[in-house]
Amino acid sequence: MDEFFTRIASRAASWMGHPLAFVISIGFVLLWAVSGPVLHYSDTWQLVINTATTVLTFLAVFLIQNSQNRDGAAMQAKLDELIRAVDKARGAFVGIEHLTDAQICEIRDALEKDMADADEKDSTARPTVERLLARY
């Protein structure tokens, strides 16, 4: 089931991101708009576009989210492999994507401070990246 859904989601995301899909969508909207006077702008006429766009958007959310989840997981695996392969890299960074947003922000802030304060000698007053990583 996972492989089938992955294939469908990949193809759908690829197709939805294609310029031709946008042009076809514009064509359908124009066709709907032009049919308004013929159908006397009825409730059914309005319901057609509302229902179609709602259903398509609802389904597209799941397909796009699946593609983003796979892309994110693949990127994390690649970054983890780079961390593992580089001698000076800190192995404690592997898996930090599982921390909370607040914990990740704290680590990011400490990294930014480390870069800004690289020339300063007194770094005991602030939490170091190593201390934060060891704590989590």
Side-chain angles (χ1 to χ4, degrees):
M1 177 71 169
D2 282 343
E3 288 180 27
F4 174 73
F5 184 73
T6 298
R7 262 195 329 270
I8 298 271
S10 295
R11 287 183 185 154
S14 177
W15 185 81
M16 285 188 292
H18 197 276
L20 182 60
F22 179 74
V23 170
I24 289 171
S25 297
I26 294 292
F28 278 125
V29 170
L30 289 175
L31 180 66
W32 170 80
V34 169
S35 69
V38 175
L39 299 173
H40 306 290
Y41 300 104
S42 68
D43 288 343
T44 303
W45 173 79
Q46 291 178 21
L47 191 61
V48 166
I49 195 74
N50 290 339
T51 303
T53 56
T54 300
V55 168
L56 291 173
T57 301
F58 178 76
L59 295 174
V61 165
F62 293 104
L63 296 173
I64 292 167
Q65 187 62 50
N66 176 267
S67 292
Q68 287 181 337
N69 288 348
R70 277 185 292 106
D71 289 349
M75 182 152 331
Q76 261 332 122
K78 291 174 184 179
L79 290 171
D80 289 348
E81 173 59 13
L82 288 173
I83 290 171
R84 189 190 65 75
V86 175
D87 290 337
K88 288 188 176 185
R90 294 176 262 207
F93 274 98
V94 173
I96 68 166
E97 69 272 10
H98 301 292
L99 298 177
T100 66
D101 289 343
Q103 291 168 329
I104 292 172
C105 284
E106 199 174 353
I107 291 169
R108 186 193 63 224
D109 292 344
L111 281 169
E112 290 172 355
K113 239 183 176 351
D114 279 354
M115 292 301 295
D117 299 340
D119 295 332
E120 284 187 22
K121 302 287 186 216
D122 182 31
S123 62
T124 58
R126 60 184 161 74
T128 65
V129 175
E130 285 78 13
R131 282 190 226 142
L132 290 172
L133 289 171
R135 187 168 52 178
Y136 302 131

